[in-house]
Amino acid sequence: QLQLVESGGGLVQPGGSLRLSCAASGFTLDYYAIGWFRQAPGKEREGVSCISRSGSITNYADSVKGRLTLSRDNANNTVYLQMNSLKPEDTAIYYCAADRRYYCSAYARNYNYWGQGTQVTVSS
């Protein structure tokens, strides 16, 4: 069974940091591009960042550029999203997604496999 599991979410104060993980089971992430998306209450799901299959290409939404870093550890079948300088507007459920392609995409419709999400709350 192909499964993605996110972890690392939680409550953090503005300006704080979190590292989200996306671990795969039942398949090898080596052949998959990975995307991270988030959805805040009452808002559409939006793309945050994505990374190509090799890890050589990463893309970020303008709202998170310079604050988030996406990386992958194929040996451990895990992708990491380091989030720094967090803001209240970053509060959302964060999802990772995978698709068997080389280049990643910012569009949710291009991903076939999804995790269950992890809650990130930025509040003082």
Side-chain angles (χ1 to χ4, degrees), residues 28-108:
T28 302
L29 279 181
D30 297 37
Y31 302 104
Y32 291 77
I34 304 296
W36 279 92
F37 297 81
R38 67 185 181 187
Q39 188 165 19
K43 293 189 176 181
E44 297 282 324
R45 186 171 298 191
E46 64 171 344
V48 174
S49 181
C50 69
I51 189 166
S52 64
R53 189 172 69 193
S54 70
S56 62
I57 301 170
T58 52
N59 294 311
Y60 299 92
D62 288 343
S63 59
V64 303
K65 276 181 182 175
R67 300 188 297 118
L68 271 58
T69 304
L70 183 56
S71 62
R72 63 191 301 157
D73 181 352
N74 286 348
N76 287 312
N77 227 23
T78 303
V79 173
Y80 301 100
L81 183 64
Q82 178 67 42
M83 305 194 297
N84 300 326
S85 302
L86 284 163
K87 305 175 182 180
E89 50 264 43
D90 293 319
T91 296
I93 299 175
Y94 283 71
Y95 301 89
C96 68
D99 193 69
R100 195 178 174 102
R101 59 172 63 210
Y102 183 84
Y103 294 104
C104 65
S105 169
Y107 299 102

